[in-house]
Amino acid sequence: MMEQLLELFLHNGLRPLGNLSETNELERKVNRSELTALVLLYYRGQLTMSALASGLGVPLSTTTSLVQRLVRKGLAERTQSTLDQRIMNVELTADGRELALQAKSIMENMLARVQAALSQEELEQFLVLAVKVGKALQQGNDQQASGRKDGKLRKIAIDD
């Protein structure tokens, strides 16, 4: 169940490491955005730059500079797609994987504290509510991305 909660955080662009004092040591090496990117890459494996931007909930230009910093620090590497040379993939290096594992351990400890504080029934209710909140946040992001409040696409006539 806790793995689902972590995935929910990451899928909705939420930053589960954002306010934890336990991350202070890691933040001497990377900032919180970089740390979130490392965790996302750890969980999802190799991603395109666009998929990473989407997962982080930030523009592609922001992701590009973030990945450049991770590459300079030796925590990630970029490779050109073998299927389409316009697509760049990002994946963790061994050092990046090690840092992501440390962050994952911190998140698991945080979630274990939540689990210990709640009864089984409360935990199940919490997870149901967390999924609802995550879906509501995602719907808001999807509607903003499409620029429509009703979530429907519209056709625009283009003159030649």
Side-chain angles (χ1 to χ4, degrees), residues 14 38 67 83 86 91 114 148 158:
L14 302 175
L38 292 174
V67 169
L83 301 174
R86 298 169 294 176
E91 61 186 314
V114 170
R148 304 279 302 173
I158 300 176

Side-chain angles (χ1 to χ4, degrees), residues 5 9 23 30 34 52 62 65 72-73 75 85 95 108 112 135 141:
L5 190 56
F9 280 126
T23 62
V30 292
E34 293 166 347
L52 182 58
T62 301
S65 60
R72 274 196 308 269
K73 293 176 182 180
L75 302 172
Q85 66 183 5
D95 288 344
E108 286 172 346
K135 285 181 181 178
N141 287 342

Side-chain angles (χ1 to χ4, degrees), residues 34 49 60-70 72:
E34 293 166 347
M49 291 289 289
L60 187 57
S61 59
T62 301
T63 304
T64 299
S65 60
L66 184 145
V67 169
Q68 286 173 341
R69 290 191 308 270
L70 291 175
R72 274 196 308 269

Side-chain angles (χ1 to χ4, degrees), residues 6 9 15-28 30-32 35-36 39 102-114:
L6 283 175
F9 280 126
R15 300 184 184 222
L17 296 165
N19 297 314
L20 298 177
S21 61
E22 293 92 334
T23 62
N24 290 343
E25 181 66 32
L26 296 178
E27 288 177 8
R28 291 186 185 140
V30 292
N31 65 37
R32 288 180 182 171
L35 192 55
T36 302
V39 171
Q102 291 175 24
K104 179 180 179 261
S105 176
I106 290 169
M107 287 188 308
E108 286 172 346
N109 288 338
M110 172 196 66
L111 293 173
R113 291 194 311 251
V114 170

Side-chain angles (χ1 to χ4, degrees), residues 25-155:
E25 181 66 32
L26 296 178
E27 288 177 8
R28 291 186 185 140
K29 299 174 186 174
V30 292
N31 65 37
R32 288 180 182 171
S33 295
E34 293 166 347
L35 192 55
T36 302
L38 292 174
V39 171
L40 188 63
L41 286 165
Y42 175 82
Y43 275 100
R44 298 201 180 144
Q46 184 183 67
L47 293 173
T48 64
M49 291 289 289
S50 296
L52 182 58
S54 176
L56 293 171
V58 298
L60 187 57
S61 59
T62 301
T63 304
T64 299
S65 60
L66 184 145
V67 169
Q68 286 173 341
R69 290 191 308 270
L70 291 175
V71 168
R72 274 196 308 269
K73 293 176 182 180
L75 302 172
E77 58 187 8
R78 278 185 300 208
T79 56
Q80 200 169 37
S81 169
T82 56
L83 301 174
D84 186 339
Q85 66 183 5
R86 298 169 294 176
I87 297 174
M88 294 299 290
N89 294 314
V90 183
E91 61 186 314
L92 295 176
T93 62
D95 288 344
R97 197 170 292 106
E98 182 180 321
L99 207 55
L101 278 170
Q102 291 175 24
K104 179 180 179 261
S105 176
I106 290 169
M107 287 188 308
E108 286 172 346
N109 288 338
M110 172 196 66
L111 293 173
R113 291 194 311 251
V114 170
Q115 191 171 9
L118 301 175
S119 69
Q120 185 61 34
E121 183 179 326
E122 290 170 329
L123 184 60
E124 289 172 12
Q125 288 175 336
F126 172 71
L127 291 173
V128 167
L129 292 172
V131 168
K132 281 185 177 182
V133 168
K135 285 181 181 178
L137 292 174
Q138 189 61 40
Q139 285 175 339
N141 287 342
D142 292 345
Q143 288 172 0
Q144 272 184 331
S146 71
R148 304 279 302 173
K149 290 184 180 181
D150 59 8
K152 295 179 183 175
L153 296 178
R154 62 186 171 115
K155 293 182 182 180

